Structures are given as structure tokens and as C-alpha cells.
């Protein structure tokens, strides 16, 4: 049995279904992110784990104890909010020691623990300040220390960096990860920012409209997206509108140029229009080594230099195709207006019908054989 | 220049409206002896034991009213904002009832409802009834003040933060909510204090030795003393408010900064 088990949890608010059949097992010490667009049920799920909402049905088990109906103040869970939620009437030290005072720990123990936490968050001199005397980033670090002071079983963070500016966001993100590793605390992190989820997590739970789309490591979710939603939400994705030429062998055409995908399209007929998705980094300028590669020609619209990577945008009829190539000072970069040919593998294409959620383990590299199985 | 003129003009109009009667009262109160300015009226008032007694009685009543009102209003307004936001207009309407129901009606309905209970057949019982009536009178001011105070802090997240740290409802109210709305609560308390100190109708009908009825009695029997009394009570009331403010200063300094 895992440390945290969320089993078939549903949550309805009146007629709104906020969370549907959510099942997740988290191991001790794991860092899990809930990733998805706004309104997809991340916060609601987190609040059910914390005890602020009761599931309509389903079960939540922490460390072998069924907490589904346990009030939040008995669960021993640390919570960090987007709004920091520091107690304005208390000093930093009193904020951090609040949970220990509630637990009636001896005063000297509280003092020692507060000092230890102030060191962990690199704010040893700030114990006597009040929250309004701190910057946003400092307030959130204090909130983190306050949540950790009670040595909680779980640490839950709900978009903790959303109210901060970009620079602090990146450094605090790293600090959260370091502290989490150092203490080995089981953590759930809610965010709508894929970059954050990628930088922090052992595993990512991608959610959409109240449902889990995929659970997996960053590598799995990025390279083997279980659904088209995952593919488009995690990383960037090119969409090409193509015409079916021969559905049985997965032959398609865009602007008269033919290309193949790795599987047939049994639900389509010749002449149908379908949307094909391809990751930017799976498109290459030089594919001459492999005759099985697809070739498409288009007009260069735009070249963006991003340091180690150069992003090139092509125009192909009504489609825009974005591709990433590694920077190389000896390489001649394509120029806007030029016509160039790009290469990509049939397996790099994600075709329609790949929308059924599946475990990452049986997903294929960006091509998915769900329709075949169906 | 003209922009500066009008605000000052209206300020002076307001100040005149307030200060001229005050000055006139002061001036009159000093003319108890013909042809000279003296404190004779003041001496007379301060030497009257009933003045001290009634003032102290009303002072205690006002403080009791503020405490009871805060104990009733703070948890109510908190719960309504946290869990029953749709009930807010209804609660607000109820707190406004003292503006609609005349004090006479209020006190008679209370007396009738509680007649033949310990509340009406003893001195202490009547005092409880008096405080109860004043608590009702304080609702419009106290509720509004507390409601505004609660809105200036994020009670949702603060409550949940405290809960996740193990706090129960009593702890949340006393250690998190109350200290953070203390300043807002004080503004409601000032008005309540001023109202209770001068209240006449209810105190008189319940035959309580309060300051309001005493002032009234004095006004119908003496000439210069009521004016002296008005000035004294004005000064004492302000002193009492300053004292409450002074007690609240610690809390104020902490919560006053930007958030
Ligand atoms: N207390 C509530 N009452 C009614 N609907 C709610 C409540 N909380 C959340 N919802 C609804 O549930 C859905 C999921 O919300 P939420 O979990 O906050 O999403 P996220 O955190 O992913 O942005 C949304 O459609 C939201 O409107
Ligand atoms: Mg949310």
C-alpha cells in the first residue's frame, strides 16, 4: 500500500462535476504535481486531501489511515496557499511556531524548532518581523516554514508561486525542491504552469475537465503522451491539417505533398480532413540518412534565436510548423522567405483517435495505437 | 487656489456647526455667578454623589455592552462570511432593525417577554435586560464595523491555514480572527460607547440609575449645572474613548502596515 492513496474520488458541487474518478497512489517522499488548465479540478482534489472538502464518493488514505471523513485540523497536513495566508497579527517566529503552540509543545522546543526552520528558509534574522514587512517571496518562504514546522505527513502547495514575479518564481521553485529533498517530505504541488511542474516533479498528474489524463514521469508524459490533450498541454505541439490519401496505410497529404504516419486510420476515408500533431524537436532539417523519413517543403516565415536552440517557423498552406534545431555556429541558418525541406519520422506524428486516457507504459512514442486496439 | 478654497470652506462650516454650540454651552456654564466667570456650576455637579454613581453605572454598562456585542457579532459575521455568504443581506437587514423599531417598543416587548422571570423581578435582572437592549442597539454599528474588518483580511485562507496547523474553531476565532479585526471592532465600540453613555429612554423605562436619566433630571431642576454637566460628560466620554484607543494601540501598530 502506498503512503497516500486517493481511490475513485468524485466531487460534485450542485450540478458541476469538479473531480471525476480520481485515483492516485503516492509513495513516501515523492514530489507529485497536478498540472492542468484553470478549472480542471486541481485545487478541489488538493482540498479533499487536506480535508477542506468532502468527496462526494471515494476514499482517501494517508499512511494506512482512512482520513476521508477526518476534519482538517486532525490530519497533520502542511498547506501552502497562493495568497501566503500568514497571520498578520503575528511575527514571523510566531507564525512558524503557531502549529507547535496549538499542539502544546514546550516553549523551548518551539524556539529551537522555529530557529531551525528560519535557517532552512535562509531567513535567520527575520523572526521578529511582521508579515507586512516582508516581500512576497519572503512571505511565501515563511508560509512554507510554518507548514513544515509541525512535521506534517504531507505537504500540499496550491499554486504557491503564482503571485510572485518571474525571477523570484524560478529561485523559490528551486528552493522548494531543495527543502523537499532535504526533508524527504511527501509533496503535492498544484500548478497550471507546465514549466514549474517539469522543474519540480518526480511524477506529474495531467488533468483536464475534472479527469486524470495521464500520470507519469516528466519523460513519460512528454515523450509518450497518452492523449492529444496531454501532448498539446505539455510542451508545444504543431498542428497540421492534412487530407487522407490512403487510410489503410496512413498516407496523408498537405498541399499536394504526401507523408505517412505510423498507423492506419480505419475510421477515415480518402478525402477526409484530419489534424496531425508533431513536436517541434522531432522535426529536423537534415533527414537524408533515412529514406523512411517524411519530407515536407515550406516557406520560412520566421527564425528566432533562443541561445542553444534556434526555433524556425515554416508556412505550409494554412499551417504553421514550428521546429527546433540546435545552434551551431558553422551551420547556415534558414532565412525568412526561403523555401526549405524538413524531415520527420512517421512515428513522430500524433493522429486523431489518440484521446483515450491510458497509462504511460502502454503508450507509443507520439503515435499511440489506441484506435487500433479499439 | 480655488481648489483649496472649497474643501476648507466646507470644513469651516462643519466645524462652526459643531463648535459654536459647544462654545456657547461652555460660556453659559461658567456664568453661574452674576457678572463673573466661575466654576460654581462645575463644583456643584462634581459634589453631587449621584453624578459619580450614575456615570460609573453607565460606564460599566457600556463596557459590558461592548463585550457582549463583540462576543455575539464577531463569530456571527465570521461564520456568515465564511460559510453562508448568501445570508449576508438577511443578517444585515436584522442588524438594521434597531433603526426601525423605536426604543420604547423594544423595551416594552423585552419587558413583556421576560416578565415574571428573574430578569424583571430583580435589580440585577433588570440590568441584564438593559445590557441586552443596548446590545441590540449596537448591532448596526458593530456588525458593519466587524464585517468591514473581516473583509480586509483573507478569512478563507487564514482559516484554512490555521485549520491545517491543527487549530479548532475557538482557537481560530480568538487567536486569528479576533486580533486581526480588533481595530475595526474598536470603531464600532466607540459609537456603541457614546450611545450607551447618553441613552435615556430605555434606562428610564427600566428605572436604572444611568447617566442619561440623571442628566435629564438635572436639566429640569437646575439652570447652569446641566451645561456644566454636558461639558464634563463630553470631556469624560472623549477621555474614555482615548483610553480604549490606548489599550488597542499594541494591536493597531501591528495590523496597520500595508498588506
Ligand atoms: N465551492 C465550490 N462551489 C461550486 N463550484 C466549485 C467550488 N469549488 C470549485 N468549483 C468548481 O469546480 C471546478 C474545479 O475547480 P478548481 O478545483 O478550483 O480548479 P483548478 O484549481 O484546477 O483551477 C470549477 O469548475 C469550479 O468552478
Ligand atoms: Mg486552483
Amino acid at each position: 500500500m502506498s503512503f497516500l492513496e486517493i481511490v475513485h474520488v468524485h466531487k460534485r458541487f450542485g450540478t458541476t462535476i469538479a473531480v471525476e474518478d480520481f485515483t492516485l497512489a503516492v509513495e513516501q517522499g515523492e514530489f507529485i504535481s497536478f498540472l492542468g488548465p484553470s478549472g480542471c479540478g486541481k485545487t478541489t482534489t488538493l482540498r479533499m486531501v487536506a480535508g477542506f472538502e468532502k468527496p462526494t464518493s471515494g476514499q482517501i488514505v494517508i499512511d494506512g489511515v482512512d482520513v476521508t471523513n477526518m476534519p482538517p485540523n486532525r490530519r497533520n497536513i502542511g498547506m501552502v496557499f497562493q495568497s501566503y495566508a500568514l497571520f498578520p497579527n503575528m511575527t514571523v517566529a510566531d507564525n512558524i511556531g503557531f502549529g507547535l503552540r496549538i499542539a502544546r509543545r514546550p516553549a523551548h522546543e518551539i524556539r529551537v524548532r522555529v530557529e531551525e526552520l528560519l535557517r532552512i528558509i535562509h531567513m535567520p534574522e527575520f523572526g521578529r518581523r511582521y508579515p507586512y514587512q516582508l516581500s512576497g517571496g519572503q512571505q511565501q518562504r515563511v508560509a512554507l516554514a510554518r507548514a513544515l514546522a509541525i512535521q506534517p505527513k504531507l505537504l500540499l502547495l496550491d499554486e504557491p508561486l503564482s503571485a510572485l514575479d518571474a525571477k523570484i518564481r524560478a529561485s523559490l521553485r528551486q528552493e522548494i525542491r531543495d527543502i523537499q529533498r532535504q526533508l524527504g517530505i511527501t509533496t503535492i504541488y498544484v500548478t497550471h504552469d507546465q514549466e514549474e511542474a517539469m522543474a519540480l516533479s518526480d511524477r506529474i498528474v495531467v488533468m483536464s475537465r475534472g479527469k486524470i489524463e495521464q500520470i507519469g514521469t516528466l519523460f513519460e508524459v512528454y515523450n509518450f503522451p497518452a492523449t492529444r490533450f496531454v501532448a498539446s498541454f505539455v510542451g508545444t505541439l504543431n498542428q497540421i491539417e492534412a487530407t487522407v490519401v490512403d487510410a489503410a496505410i496512413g498516407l496523408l497529404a498537405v498541399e499536394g505533398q504526401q507523408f505517412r504516419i505510423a498507423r492506419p486510420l480505419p475510421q477515415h476515408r480518402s478525402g477526409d480532413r484530419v489534424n496531425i500533431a508533431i513536436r517541434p524537436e522531432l522535426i529536423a532539417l537534415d533527414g537524408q540518412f533515412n529514406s523512411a523519413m517524411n519530407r515536407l517543403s515550406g516557406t520560412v516565415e520566421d527564425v528566432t534565436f533562443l541561445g542553444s536552440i534556434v526555433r524556425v517557423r515554416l508556412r505550409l498552406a494554412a499551417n504553421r510548423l514550428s521546429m527546433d534545431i540546435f545552434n551551431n555556429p558553422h551551420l547556415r541558418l534558414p532565412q525568412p522567405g526561403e523555401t526549405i525541406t524538413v524531415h520527420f519520422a512517421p512515428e513522430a506524428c500524433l493522429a486523431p483517435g489518440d484521446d483515450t486516457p491510458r497509462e504511460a507504459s502502454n503508450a507509443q512514442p507520439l503515435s499511440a495505437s489506441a484506435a487500433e486496439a479499439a | 487656489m480655488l481648489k483649496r478654497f472649497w474643501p476648507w470652506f466646507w470644513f469651516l462650516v462643519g466645524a462652526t456647526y459643531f463648535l459654536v454650540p459647544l462654545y456657547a454651552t461652555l460660556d453659559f456654564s461658567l456664568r453661574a455667578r452674576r457678572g463673573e466667570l466661575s466654576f460654581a456650576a462645575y463644583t456643584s455637579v462634581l459634589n453631587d454623589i449621584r453624578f459619580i454613581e450614575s456615570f460609573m453605572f453607565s460606564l460599566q454598562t457600556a463596557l459590558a455592552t461592548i463585550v457582549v456585542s463583540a462576543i455575539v457579532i464577531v463569530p456571527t459575521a465570521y461564520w456568515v462570511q465564511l460559510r453562508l455568504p448568501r445570508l449576508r443581506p438577511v443578517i444585515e437587514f436584522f442588524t438594521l432593525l434597531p433603526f426601525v423599531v423605536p426604543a420604547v417598543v423594544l423595551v416594552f416587548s423585552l419587558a413583556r417577554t421576560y416578565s415574571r422571570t428573574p430578569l424583571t423581578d430583580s435589580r440585577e435582572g433588570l440590568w441584564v435586560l438593559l445590557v441586552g437592549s443596548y446590545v441590540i442597539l449596537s448591532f448596526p454599528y458593530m456588525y458593519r464595523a466587524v464585517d468591514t474588518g473581516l473583509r480586509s483580511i483573507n478569512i478563507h485562507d487564514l482559516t484554512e491555514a490555521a485549520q491545517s496547523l491543527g487549530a479548532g474553531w475557538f482557537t481560530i476565532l480568538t487567536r486569528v480572527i479576533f486580533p486581526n479585526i480588533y481595530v475595526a471592532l474598536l470603531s464600532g465600540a466607540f459609537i456603541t460607547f457614546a450611545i450607551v453613555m447618553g441613552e435615556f429612554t430605555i434606562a428610564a423605562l427600566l428605572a436604572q440609575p444611568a447617566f442619561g436619566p440623571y442628566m435629564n433630571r438635572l436639566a429640569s431642576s437646575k439652570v447652569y449645572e446641566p451645561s456644566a454637566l454636558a461639558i464634563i460628560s463630553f470631556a469624560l466620554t472623549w477621555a474614555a474613548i482615548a483610553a480604549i484607543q490606548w489599550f488597542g494601540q499594541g494591536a493597531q501598530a501591528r495590523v496597520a502596515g500595508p498588506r
Side-chain angles (χ1 to χ4, degrees), chain B residues 86-105:
Chain B
R86 267 180 296 177
L87 269 188
R88 217 158 102 201
V90 180
I91 301 287
E92 222 169 280
F93 172 77
F94 277 119
T95 64
L96 285 176
L97 281 181
F99 287 157
V100 186
V101 179
V104 183
V105 175

Side-chain angles (χ1 to χ4, degrees), chain A residues 168-218:
Chain A
I168 292 166
R169 219 157 41 211
S171 72
L172 193 50
R173 185 170 82 192
Q174 193 52 45
E175 206 170 324
I176 289 175
R177 184 53 163 152
D178 291 345
I179 292 171
Q180 189 270 340
R181 283 231 176 86
Q182 186 185 335
L183 304 179
I185 184 167
T186 315
T187 303
I188 301 180
Y189 188 101
V190 161
T191 180
H192 63 264
D193 181 349
Q194 51 145 326
E195 211 182 304
E196 256 175 37
M198 289 183 185
L200 289 166
S201 324
D202 295 320
R203 284 194 296 155
I204 298 175
V205 177
V206 185
M207 297 178 68
S208 155
R209 295 202 232 122
K211 286 197 216 150
I212 296 181
E213 292 276 328
Q214 186 173 3
I215 303 171
T217 62
L218 172 59

Side-chain angles (χ1 to χ4, degrees), chain A residues 4-11 17-26 32-36 40-49 55-61 188-190 203-215 359:
Chain A
L4 165 66
E5 302 250 0
I6 305 174
V7 189
H8 296 301
V9 162
H10 293 251
K11 179 66 189 181
I17 297 172
V19 178
E20 207 176 339
D21 198 17
F22 192 104
T23 298
L24 172 71
V26 181
I32 299 277
S33 288
F34 291 176
L35 175 65
C40 72
K42 308 180 295 289
T43 296
T44 305
T45 309
L46 199 75
R47 289 168 54 80
M48 288 191 285
V49 175
T56 310
S57 68
Q59 200 186 20
I60 297 170
V61 181
I188 301 180
Y189 188 101
V190 161
R203 284 194 296 155
I204 298 175
V205 177
V206 185
M207 297 178 68
S208 155
R209 295 202 232 122
K211 286 197 216 150
I212 296 181
E213 292 276 328
Q214 186 173 3
I215 303 171
E359 284 298 316

Side-chain angles (χ1 to χ4, degrees), chain A residues 54-355:
Chain A
K54 275 220 174 69
T56 310
S57 68
Q59 200 186 20
I60 297 170
V61 181
I62 301 172
D63 201 7
V65 181
D66 184 338
V67 299
T68 315
N69 292 307
M70 191 186 274
N73 57 344
R74 308 264 306 281
R75 292 193 186 194
N76 195 26
I77 285 177
M79 182 97 190
V80 176
F81 302 82
Q82 183 180 337
S83 66
Y84 322 136
L86 293 178
F87 306 125
N89 59 314
M90 296 179 204
T91 61
V92 166
D94 285 345
N95 264 284
I96 298 175
F98 185 83
L100 298 170
R101 285 201 304 282
I102 301 280
R104 296 185 193 284
R105 305 293 266 278
H108 70 271
E109 184 194 320
I110 296 177
R111 208 171 333 111
V112 170
R113 180 94 180 115
V114 167
E115 271 169 26
E116 182 191 342
L117 280 155
L118 283 170
R119 267 197 312 278
I120 290 179
I121 59 168
H122 307 299
M123 292 174 65
E125 310 298 322
F126 286 78
R128 296 234 174 123
R129 299 258 194 119
Y130 282 93
Y132 73 85
Q133 297 169 312
L134 303 179
S135 72
Q138 289 170 334
Q139 289 192 50
Q140 196 59 299
R141 272 146 72 196
V142 173
L144 181 66
R146 180 180 67 177
L148 292 170
I150 55 170
Q151 293 181 307
K153 290 199 151 99
L154 280 175
L155 177 64
L156 309 180
L157 306 103
D158 191 353
E159 314 228 3
L161 306 180
S162 299
L164 301 170
D165 56 57
K167 213 167 168 186
I168 292 166
R169 219 157 41 211
S171 72
L172 193 50
R173 185 170 82 192
Q174 193 52 45
E175 206 170 324
I176 289 175
R177 184 53 163 152
D178 291 345
I179 292 171
Q180 189 270 340
R181 283 231 176 86
Q182 186 185 335
L183 304 179
I185 184 167
T186 315
T187 303
I188 301 180
Y189 188 101
V190 161
T191 180
H192 63 264
D193 181 349
Q194 51 145 326
E195 211 182 304
E196 256 175 37
M198 289 183 185
L200 289 166
S201 324
D202 295 320
R203 284 194 296 155
I204 298 175
V205 177
V206 185
M207 297 178 68
S208 155
R209 295 202 232 122
K211 286 197 216 150
I212 296 181
E213 292 276 328
Q214 186 173 3
I215 303 171
T217 62
L218 172 59
F219 184 85
E220 289 166 343
V221 167
Y222 193 87
N223 291 314
F224 308 96
T227 67
R228 176 177 287 253
F229 173 83
V230 175
S232 62
F233 196 77
V234 180
T236 38
L237 204 61
N238 288 303
Q239 306 266 1
I240 304 176
E241 199 187 51
T243 315
V244 177
V245 176
D246 187 342
I249 58 166
L251 188 65
L252 307 165
V254 57
E255 224 194 6
Q257 308 181 54
Q258 295 195 341
F259 68 99
R260 302 178 66 142
I261 61 172
R263 65 174 180 83
L265 290 163
Q267 280 139 353
H268 292 91
R269 271 186 263 156
S270 304
D272 282 0
R273 319 244 341 134
V274 291
N275 265 309
I276 300 296
I278 317 172
R279 284 246 190 268
E281 68 272 23
L282 296 180
I283 305 175
L285 268 181
D286 41 3
Q288 59 270 38
F289 325 110
N290 189 342
S291 58
M293 292 287 261
N294 288 312
R295 275 180 203 79
L296 286 179
S297 296
T299 314
V300 177
E301 209 177 49
D302 186 30
V303 180
T304 318
F305 188 74
L306 299 169
S308 60
I309 279 176
V310 181
R311 179 156 288 188
V312 180
R313 265 217 327 246
L314 291 187
R315 199 165 181 74
L316 251 161
N319 304 291
R320 273 210 183 78
L321 210 57
S322 187
M323 58 182 290
D324 290 346
I325 53 179
F326 278 113
N327 178 34
N328 176 350
H330 308 297
L331 199 73
R332 198 191 71 88
L333 285 176
Q335 299 301 310
E338 201 180 330
T339 301
I340 58 166
T341 302
V342 297
H343 309 260
F344 57 93
E347 290 79 24
C349 303
L350 190 72
D354 299 341
D355 291 343

